[in-house]
Amino acid sequence: MVDRSLTLMAVHAHPDDEATGTGGVLARAAAEGIQTVLVTCTDGGCGDGVGGVKPGEPGHDPAAVVAMRTGELEASCEVLGVNHLELLGYADSGMMGWATNDAPGSFWKTPVDEAAARLAELIRRYRPDVVVTYDENGFYGHPDHIQAHRVTMAAVALTQLPAKVYWTTVPRSMMEEFSRVMRELGADWDEPDAESDEPEIGLPDEEITTWVDTTDFGPQKFKALAAHASQSENIFFLQMGVEKFTELMGVETFVRVHDTTGAALPEADLFAGLR
């Protein structure tokens, strides 16, 4: 048990990532009086521009995209009740294999130790009890997500301060239901390729350690995603509408990879053992 207010830190790659996998736990923590800190590692410059213009297409202005997405991120944080937003400001690396992976200043090309030292400073400042980030594959193989994982775990090792560390994930059972719903909505949804060498997204249900009920905060999570209006074409969750979204996305799931509390597993609270 801690004798001070609790703190949750979520480390994400881009503006809008905070709402997708952790919007529920951020909103729930804020409602419970827990201090919330969001660290966004990149500037989101490889996102869609005004009118859905894609990177590399005529009219795509990365600087304008960065400014637009920063404003959207601030609006999302207000919806979720995030107390502190920290921007590391690295250049968005784009999808795996894009030329932007190797651009000067890209997050993917930044030495892990360099970025980890900056994140470690934030960990020492805010002293989070719980840190949440991605798994080794960055959940779905995006280079900036993979780098956020590496940087976060290196920073945790440097500081030895967080009591608990989690990686976001989804149960395979939910992926099946999600695929069904998206097909019903007529979305262009690619089924996983059984022959692919890429790791499969999510985990078998029995391997998930932590199931957090965030149903009451589904509308907030949906509104936070909707705040990222410039990326709405890519945020396919919004196609469900708020009721179906809340029904399907009302539980956020994690794998606990570091713990000093001895809290029993499975658990239903990121702060089990701390309060």
Side-chain angles (χ1 to χ4, degrees):
M1 301 291 290
V2 296
D3 57 1
R4 56 181 172 79
S5 60
L6 295 166
T7 299
L8 169 64
M9 176 181 281
V11 183
H12 283 290
H14 312 98
D16 76 35
D17 291 332
E18 79 289 339
T20 307
T22 59
V25 293
L26 285 168
R28 173 174 162 166
E32 294 174 347
I34 293 170
Q35 177 177 234
T36 53
V37 182
L38 170 63
V39 181
T40 301
C41 296
T42 81
D43 59 16
C46 287
D48 289 355
V50 175
V53 63
K54 306 295 182 185
E57 293 180 349
H60 187 276
D61 179 355
V65 172
V66 169
M68 178 172 59
R69 297 194 73 184
T70 300
E72 292 174 341
L73 177 59
E74 291 170 349
S76 172
C77 286
E78 184 173 353
V79 170
L80 296 174
V82 171
N83 299 113
H84 303 282
L85 171 62
E86 296 287 348
L87 306 175
L88 296 189
Y90 292 105
D92 189 339
S93 309
M95 300 298 288
M96 191 68 81
W98 288 13
T100 45
N101 292 176
D102 299 317
S106 78
F107 191 40
W108 183 241
K109 293 295 289 185
T110 299
V112 169
D113 289 350
E114 176 187 314
R118 293 183 61 197
L119 181 58
E121 288 182 14
L122 296 176
I123 290 175
R124 294 187 184 103
R125 181 189 308 170
Y126 292 109
R127 302 185 71 83
D129 302 280
V130 175
V131 171
V132 177
T133 191
Y134 314 103
D135 62 17
E136 303 102 316
N137 189 49
F139 186 62
Y140 70 100
H142 193 295
D144 287 330
H145 289 232
I146 294 171
Q147 186 76 330
H149 161 84
R150 293 171 177 170
V151 167
T152 302
M153 299 311 293
V156 167
L158 278 172
T159 61
Q160 297 290 309
L161 286 174
K164 305 177 84 173
V165 178
Y166 294 89
W167 296 344
T168 58
T169 190
V170 294
R172 295 268 167 79
S173 60
M174 195 200 86
M175 288 299 296
E176 294 169 4
E177 175 65 8
F178 183 76
S179 298
R180 184 189 66 77
V181 170
M182 295 309 292
R183 288 194 300 270
E184 286 180 357
L185 292 171
D188 184 14
W189 182 256
D190 294 328
E191 292 297 323
D193 183 358
E195 303 300 320
S196 173
D197 292 332
E198 291 294 320
E200 189 174 353
I201 292 175
L203 289 173
D205 292 31
E206 63 272 15
E207 293 182 20
I208 292 172
T209 65
T210 310
W211 305 69
V212 183
D213 184 355
T214 60
T215 305
D216 290 347
F217 305 95
Q220 272 179 267
K221 182 173 176 176
F222 187 87
K223 187 177 179 182
L225 273 172
H228 297 281
S230 68
Q231 310 305 306
S232 59
E233 180 181 329
N234 300 317
I235 304 176
F236 34 76
F237 303 103
L238 297 174
Q239 298 177 39
M240 300 178 189
V242 64
E243 290 186 8
K244 188 64 178 178
F245 173 87
T246 300
E247 176 187 336
L248 192 59
M249 309 286 285
V251 176
E252 291 182 349
T253 50
F254 306 87
V255 174
R256 193 175 82 189
V257 295
H258 169 72
D259 173 65
T260 63
T261 70
L265 294 176
E267 60 188 0
D269 179 9
L270 296 179
F271 292 88
L274 290 166
R275 56 180 175 179

